[in-house]
Amino acid sequence: MTRTAFPSQRVGAFTVTAISDGTLTISLEQLLGMDLDQATAIQSQAGIREPNVLNINCYLIRMGNRMVLVDAGAGGFKQWGGELKTRLRGVGVDPAEIDTVLLTHAHPDHVGGLLDETGSRVFVNAELWAHHNEITFWTDDEMRDAANERARGNFDLARRAFTAYGTSLHSFVEGDLFPGLAAVALPGHTKGHTGFLIDSEGERLLIWGDIVHFPLVQTSHPEVSITLDTDPVQAADTRQRLLEVVSREQIMVAGSHLSDRGFAIVTKVDNHFHIKNVAE
């Protein structure tokens, strides 16, 4: 089987393509509820050579005449990623052709790519959509003022992105956004963390954002959260619940920090969850 640079899945009438913005590095020491040796062993036993390196996956959804992008990558923020525009053109799509950008949440590795080097919008013809709670959180002055210096930088980047898109920025809560595509509230990682469920012609795919950062670790141990979670307890509860649903209902998943193959299936055996890449 030939591995392509841009893994795609046909989901009913939709075509979904995983497009990497590149990678970022996060220490396994940021995991909560698991010691470093155990986490490192899980990564090593799976043959992961760089256990602290995470993919930054974005997803291009072709649905009729509509061209939808889920998340925009880091765009080079903190030297993370920055490859999305080039790779979009690699699948024959100019950023100007994107008519809708859906955000799972507004952390830097999801919104940095909304802006170019001058701070102008990359997706000049796109409507930008984010959960109401996400927009409210990142534009709250009291929350920003109470944050540490690193986090204030995250607030400022999210605000610059929201401002750049101006009247093209819209909020949702949950439910249907377009025929066959619905927003699913998945709180915990952030206040408005959201998944996007495609349900078309009897086939389903859930783009679940940052439900996991280290897929093998946090799927086999859903109680393990990360310091990046706004509410680690809620994040773990959401992850446990969602893993139950996608494994029981055999819903294919896609996620920001899954492998470079972009798509996976979760199974449950003897009360333990397992995640496996989907072959094309």
Side-chain angles (χ1 to χ4, degrees):
M1 179 179 296
T2 302
R3 287 166 60 112
T4 65
F6 304 103
S8 294
Q9 294 292 328
R10 185 78 178 178
V11 185
F14 295 68
T15 300
V16 184
T17 303
I19 301 180
S20 174
D21 183 51
T23 61
L24 59 84
T25 300
I26 296 179
S27 173
L28 286 165
E29 292 178 316
Q30 293 199 48
L31 290 171
L32 302 171
M34 176 177 286
D35 63 50
L36 179 60
D37 288 344
Q38 184 179 2
T40 301
I42 292 172
Q43 298 282 80
S44 297
Q45 288 167 9
I48 297 175
R49 296 181 180 179
E50 297 180 290
N52 296 317
V53 175
L54 303 185
N55 294 303
I56 307 172
N57 293 327
C58 306
Y59 292 88
L60 178 68
I61 306 173
R62 293 179 172 92
M63 39 190 296
N65 294 325
R66 189 176 293 278
M67 195 85 73
V68 177
L69 183 68
V70 176
D71 289 335
F77 181 78
K78 294 185 178 179
Q79 288 73 57
W80 297 341
E83 301 176 18
L84 177 62
K85 286 188 289 185
T86 298
R87 291 183 175 179
L88 276 172
R89 293 188 175 99
V91 294
V93 175
D94 187 277
E97 295 180 78
I98 302 294
D99 56 71
T100 306
V101 178
L102 303 177
L103 295 179
T104 60
H105 61 298
H107 275 161
D109 53 318
H110 300 260
V111 301
L114 291 171
L115 305 175
D116 65 16
E117 297 79 4
T118 70
S120 299
R121 50 191 288 181
V122 168
F123 304 101
V124 294
N125 295 313
E127 302 294 309
L128 176 64
W129 291 81
H131 194 285
H132 170 78
N133 292 347
E134 200 70 6
I135 297 173
T136 298
F137 176 81
W138 293 105
T139 55
D140 186 315
D141 289 336
E142 290 187 8
M143 295 299 297
R144 182 195 179 280
D145 291 344
N148 60 34
E149 184 177 355
R150 179 194 62 79
R152 283 197 295 273
N154 295 349
F155 274 89
D156 293 343
L157 177 60
R159 290 176 178 208
R160 289 198 299 272
F162 293 159
T163 298
Y165 282 76
T167 58
S168 297
L169 174 64
H170 308 282
S171 66
F172 57 79
V173 180
E174 59 182 316
D176 292 342
L177 298 177
F178 307 108
L181 193 154
V184 180
L186 300 174
H189 180 52
T190 64
K191 295 289 187 181
H193 185 243
T194 300
F196 298 103
L197 178 66
I198 296 171
D199 189 342
S200 176
E201 299 177 0
E203 298 180 325
R204 289 182 292 176
L205 168 71
L206 177 66
I207 302 174
W208 69 9
D210 282 11
I211 283 292
V212 296
H213 287 78
F214 296 95
L216 293 173
V217 174
Q218 293 178 283
T219 301
S220 58
H221 295 272
E223 74 281 4
V224 174
S225 289
I226 195 166
T227 58
L228 304 173
D229 293 331
T230 300
D231 186 334
V233 173
Q234 186 180 43
D237 289 344
T238 297
R239 183 165 43 254
Q240 177 74 41
R241 173 178 57 82
L242 191 61
L243 290 171
E244 291 281 2
V245 171
V246 298
S247 61
R248 181 179 65 249
E249 300 186 14
Q250 298 182 316
I251 300 172
M252 188 188 304
V253 298
S256 308
H257 304 302
L258 296 187
S259 78
D260 60 1
R261 305 316 298 148
F263 303 92
I265 289 291
V266 177
T267 57
K268 187 177 184 182
V269 180
D270 297 330
N271 213 35
H272 295 284
F273 296 107
H274 305 270
I275 191 166
K276 182 178 180 181
N277 294 336
V278 174
E280 293 182 79

